Amino acid sequence: MSMRRKVSSFTITKQKTNRNTITNNQKAARTRRQRGYQWEDTIVKRFNNTDKWKAFRLGSPSIALPDVLAVNTDISTIFTIEAKSGTSTSLPVPADQIERCLSWIKTFDIYEKRNVLLAFKFLSKKRIDIGKYESRELREFFKIWDESLEITDCVCTYDGKFFAKIEGKRKEVFLKECPMPFKTKQRTNA
């Protein structure tokens, strides 16, 4: 009785990676981060240019801090702000970022008014394809997170509507606009 072994062969090929693709992806990621930092910096400067407000950028996303902390001791108010900026038609906010902002304002219970703000900036150019944009109106929204809501992943759209992901479905949530102590590009008729 002869035993025959069946030998199968396979070839391992290394996928060719285009150096330009890697470089373009790195550039895109850097551009997105820079837009976010610039938006945070703009918010801080706007608060600091008003009377009685002090604001600070708190650090990188790798540590559990909000993007911006704004305080006015005269009116006993503190805001923790999660800032999002981009060229798309919607900007997402992960649930963990809302949660960390909430834990920060709960820590500062000495302030009478404590709010988590979600600050969205839709840039004046809309991305339509890789490296292709079309002009549109620049819009900013400063939404006050409703603490009675379940914390979930959320998204704000270019027209100012806000949606939460609840049980795998997108559900519109109505958040109040926060009147800011400085001039904004907010749309009141959205």
Side-chain angles (χ1 to χ4, degrees):
M1 195 162 35
S2 126
M3 299 273 268
R4 293 180 105 186
R5 285 190 1 190
K6 199 173 191 180
V7 177
S8 61
S9 65
F10 60 94
T11 306
I12 299 175
T13 58
K14 185 177 177 184
Q15 183 178 0
K16 294 180 183 178
T17 55
N18 185 343
R19 196 146 185 75
N20 289 339
T21 304
I22 294 170
T23 305
N24 288 343
N25 290 342
Q26 289 171 339
K27 284 182 185 177
R30 189 176 325 120
T31 300
R32 279 192 302 275
R33 280 192 304 276
Q34 286 173 342
R35 283 184 187 133
Y37 298 149
Q38 288 169 351
W39 178 222
E40 293 166 17
D41 194 49
T42 298
I43 293 169
V44 168
K45 285 178 181 173
R46 286 180 184 176
F47 270 109
N48 288 337
N49 285 331
T50 61
D51 286 338
K52 301 180 175 139
W53 281 94
K54 292 290 177 210
F56 314 90
R57 276 193 67 230
L58 294 180
S60 71
S62 61
I63 48 181
L65 298 172
D67 292 333
V68 176
L69 183 70
V71 180
N72 184 324
T73 54
D74 285 3
I75 58 172
S76 189
T77 301
I78 187 170
F79 295 144
T80 55
I81 303 169
E82 191 59 42
K84 302 293 176 191
S85 174
T87 58
S88 63
T89 55
S90 62
L91 296 172
V93 182
D96 66 309
Q97 293 178 357
I98 296 169
E99 199 166 354
R100 73 180 177 209
C101 285
L102 282 168
S103 68
W104 268 77
I105 61 164
K106 288 175 183 171
T107 302
F108 293 100
D109 59 355
I110 192 168
Y111 292 94
E112 291 174 25
K113 184 178 179 184
R114 301 177 309 229
N115 291 119
V116 171
L117 298 187
L118 305 175
F120 300 96
K121 181 178 185 177
F122 292 90
L123 299 174
S124 60
K125 58 183 182 178
K126 175 186 170 188
R127 183 171 38 90
I128 55 175
D129 201 0
I130 297 172
K132 295 181 182 174
Y133 299 90
E134 68 183 17
S135 293
R136 67 177 180 186
E137 177 186 6
L138 185 145
R139 295 185 182 173
E140 297 173 357
F141 300 100
F142 293 87
K143 302 283 188 179
I144 302 171
W145 178 256
D146 183 349
E147 291 186 52
S148 68
L149 295 173
E150 179 185 344
I151 300 171
T152 63
D153 292 340
C154 301
V155 67
C156 182
T157 62
Y158 178 70
D159 58 1
K161 292 183 179 178
F162 196 81
F163 297 90
K165 190 175 183 179
I166 299 171
E167 295 174 8
K169 295 182 181 175
R170 192 170 130 160
K171 179 183 177 200
E172 187 168 6
V173 176
F174 300 95
L175 297 181
K176 291 180 184 175
E177 282 288 330
C178 183
M180 301 307 287
F182 48 78
K183 190 174 181 177
T184 69
K185 303 268 186 192
Q186 278 179 275
R187 292 191 37 168
T188 53
N189 59 353

